[in-house]
Structure formats: structure tokens, C-alpha cells
Amino acid sequence: WLENERAMISGLLSESSNVFVHGGAGTGKSSMFERYGLEEGIGVTRCAGNSEAIPDDLFYEKGYEDGKVSYYAQGFMQAVELANRHGAWILVIEEGNLFSTQVMTAMHSMMDDIKSQMTKIGKLQLRKGCKLLIAMTGNLGYAGTEELTQALESRMFFYGKQKPSKEFVFANIWTEKVSLDVKEKFWKIVQKIESAS
């Protein structure tokens, strides 16, 4: 964990808030929510942004069973149902700024304080006392990405995910079984190699 990341996620989840995490590929934008869920025993649903998605992709998929129309929960709808059942849930929408403006507009009411949405099969709403953190990830300014709508942007906390420094990695990520003495010796060797090149 980088400094304050865990506390940030806890705070956002307690308020059922939304966050947009931006940063380069491989910095752990999505995996930090999976890690938090694993540590806290909170479920995590991941879905991907898609430039060809339509608003219904966030809510339900229609199918037929025994000659009857059936609806299967998708993305946001599934996360709300799971949060209502388990008390807390995290929905990670990866590369959320690939969505078209039409899809982002459909997300406005699901990202407000009430976390509700009118769908073709009825109103979907987060129950009082239940918590749902919606985390959207993305790389800002990359080809194919869209600007977030102003209304969506106003409903989100923005967090820039950084790569951890080498000092942080050696101090925190290395296994605790390695003594501080050995870590310091190894760190000195790394510094000598870097200064020689």
C-alpha cells in the first residue's frame, strides 16, 4: 500500500462515494481495490469500459427462457444487488473513459449520493445503510479516450496513482522475513550500480 491509499478507499466506501483513479499502465489502479476487498472481506466486481457500449450494458442483458423474457443483471445493477445483499461492495469500471458520452450521461444518476437508476424493469436503488464504492480507472489523454462529462466529473474524487519509489519498495514491499540489515546492504549495492552506469 502506498501512503494513505488504504485510508482513502475506506473513507470513500464509508460514504458510498465514487473515485476516478488515473495513472500509467501497470501501476495497480484496479488491483488496489481487489487487494482491499481481499483484506476486508468485501466483494469486488470488475467490468470494462468499451467505446461500443450502450447504456443498457451497465444495467441488464435481456434473454429468453422457456418462452419468457428474462433479465440478467449487468455491471452497475449487479453491484447494487450485491451491496444490498452483503452490506458493502466495490464496483471497478476499468478504462471508464472509453465509454461514449451517451453512456457517461446514463451513469449520472447511478453516481449520485442515492445511487439509484430507473431501468426498463423498474427502479434500482442502494438500500439505506448499505455501501457501494464505484471506482473508475483510466489513462487520461490517451488515444480513444473521452473527456468525462462535467456532471460525472463533479460526482467523483480524482486520485493519481503513482509508481512506488525504490525506497518504498525496499522498506515496505519486501517480505518481512528479510532483515532490515540485509535490505540496507542490498540497497547500498543497488545505489552503487546505478551511480556507476
Side-chain angles (χ1 to χ4, degrees), residues 4 8 19-20 37-38 40 47 51 58 60 62 64 67 72 90 94 102 118 120 125 163 166 179 192 196:
N4 298 326
M8 174 193 69
V19 61
F20 187 90
L38 182 67
E40 294 295 321
C47 62
S51 60
L58 299 168
Y60 62 84
K62 188 163 74 171
Y64 298 93
Y72 304 95
I90 298 171
E94 298 184 42
Q102 180 193 22
M118 280 306 297
K120 292 177 185 174
Q125 185 167 337
K163 284 187 177 177
K166 291 175 188 171
S179 70
K192 283 183 182 178

Side-chain angles (χ1 to χ4, degrees), residues 123-141:
K123 187 173 184 180
L124 177 69
Q125 185 167 337
L126 186 66
R127 282 195 203 119
K128 191 174 182 180
C130 295
K131 306 296 180 191
L132 174 61
L133 168 60
I134 300 177
M136 194 181 281
T137 69
N139 296 305
L140 300 175

